[in-house]
Amino acid sequence: MLSLGGAGVAHGLRAVTQAWLGGSRYRALTLARAAGASSAGDERFSASRGQRGRQLSLSAAAVVDSAPRPLQPYLRLMRLDKPIGTWLLYLPCTWSIALAAEPGCFPDWYMLSLFGTGAVLMRGAGCTINDMWDQNYDKKVARTANRPIAAGDISTFQSFVFLGGQLTLALGVLLCLNYYSIALGAASLLLVITYPLMKRITYWPQLFLGFTFNWGALLGWSAVKGSCDPSVCLPLYFSGIMWTLIYDTIYAHQDKKDDTLIGVKSTALQFGENTKPWLSGFSVAMLGALSLVGVNSSQTVPYYTALTAVGTHLAHQIYTLDIHRPEDCWNKFASSRTVGLIVFLGIVLGNLWKEKKTKETKKNIDSRIED
């Protein structure tokens, strides 16, 4: 790029020198040419800069595209170019960790980072297992035909070795937790392995995904407290399952035509045109369970304000959903991350509010004693 600009400037200087050595008419003509040459060089320099600027992007897909070519198929196999799934796996963990924090305190940042790492690895492992099971189906569906195994970029043996590496690293994360949590986390591996098979035998594979993706609602609390509190963890787990039924049913509507052709089952096919009433029912169940979580964990005003916002978001999401437009289904599915973040924020703020409430109660008791 510098050579382009420098060439334009050098050409211009030569032209200016020649102009002053010639006559006035020649000077005018050559100066005009010099200006044009310099301008052309600058335009090429600017275009080159602009093109480079457009290539610089911090999106997940751009980061994967900028990785070394031999590594890219493995990153795509982990779905690192599509991080929404990692968020949906991670967020129930954050809810549980935040709920387990002491009143007036922020959630344990070490646990949040540890579970974040685990979410990336286990989502990658889950996608690897899914693609190994589904490679013959993926080849028949336009949206999934370019997945690394289906496209032949990675062999089954290579994906198996890669899976072993991911699970080994995930085990390293799990071993950082207490013994109760290690056993609880290990128990989820059966769900991770068998979930991809459910679409072959039941119209409710989204329910089994809910069991799998929301295991962190149990594990996060036990990692902080040493064991699960059923009065908090079970309704939290149930609310997560309902949430998964909402967003993954919406997601499944993208592929319903292909699923019908190749014989794959889903709640999208099960519900059909009655999808919205079902989603509304799941939303009510989710909000009811989260309300029970709030009561059992002594949550405060910010938490219930967040639940109101979640209810509003879900209502708008379902009301405006067009199940016959795949791009709209994807947009609604991707917006589910907002729901999870609102719940997490509500839990954190609600927990911080507890300190204020506790101080006010103590102040009232002290004033009564003085009176």
Side-chain angles (χ1 to χ4, degrees), residues 254-303:
Q254 296 178 100
D255 299 329
K256 57 190 174 185
K257 292 181 181 179
D258 291 320
D259 289 349
T260 302
L261 291 174
I262 62 179
V264 171
K265 301 175 177 65
S266 70
T267 49
L269 294 175
Q270 176 73 11
F271 302 154
E273 295 298 325
N274 294 319
T275 291
K276 290 190 177 184
W278 277 96
L279 296 182
S280 300
F282 295 146
S283 299
V284 171
M286 175 188 178
L287 292 170
L290 286 174
S291 298
L292 181 59
V293 169
V295 171
N296 291 342
S297 60
S298 304
Q299 276 296 332
T300 53
V301 173
Y303 177 80

Side-chain angles (χ1 to χ4, degrees), residues 47-126:
S48 179
R49 285 186 65 187
Q51 184 178 6
R52 184 179 179 183
R54 285 192 297 271
Q55 290 174 349
L56 293 175
S57 174
L58 293 179
S59 69
V63 171
V64 171
D65 288 339
S66 64
R69 283 195 177 277
L71 194 60
Q72 289 183 23
Y74 293 96
L75 299 181
R76 290 195 174 91
L77 184 59
M78 294 180 69
R79 305 290 197 276
L80 286 186
D81 56 328
K82 297 176 181 177
I84 179 61
T86 304
W87 276 106
L88 297 176
L89 177 63
Y90 176 55
L91 284 165
C93 305
T94 68
W95 302 349
S96 190
I97 293 169
L99 282 167
E102 293 297 322
C105 297
F106 283 101
D108 189 323
W109 298 110
Y110 172 71
M111 284 297 173
L112 289 175
S113 61
L114 202 62
F115 274 72
T117 304
V120 172
L121 293 169
M122 286 308 297
R123 197 255 177 151

Side-chain angles (χ1 to χ4, degrees), residues 77 128 131-132 135 139 147-156 159:
L77 184 59
T128 303
D131 288 7
M132 290 170 69
Q135 56 184 297
K139 293 174 183 178
R147 286 180 175 173
I149 300 177
D153 297 330
I154 299 176
S155 68
T156 302
S159 61

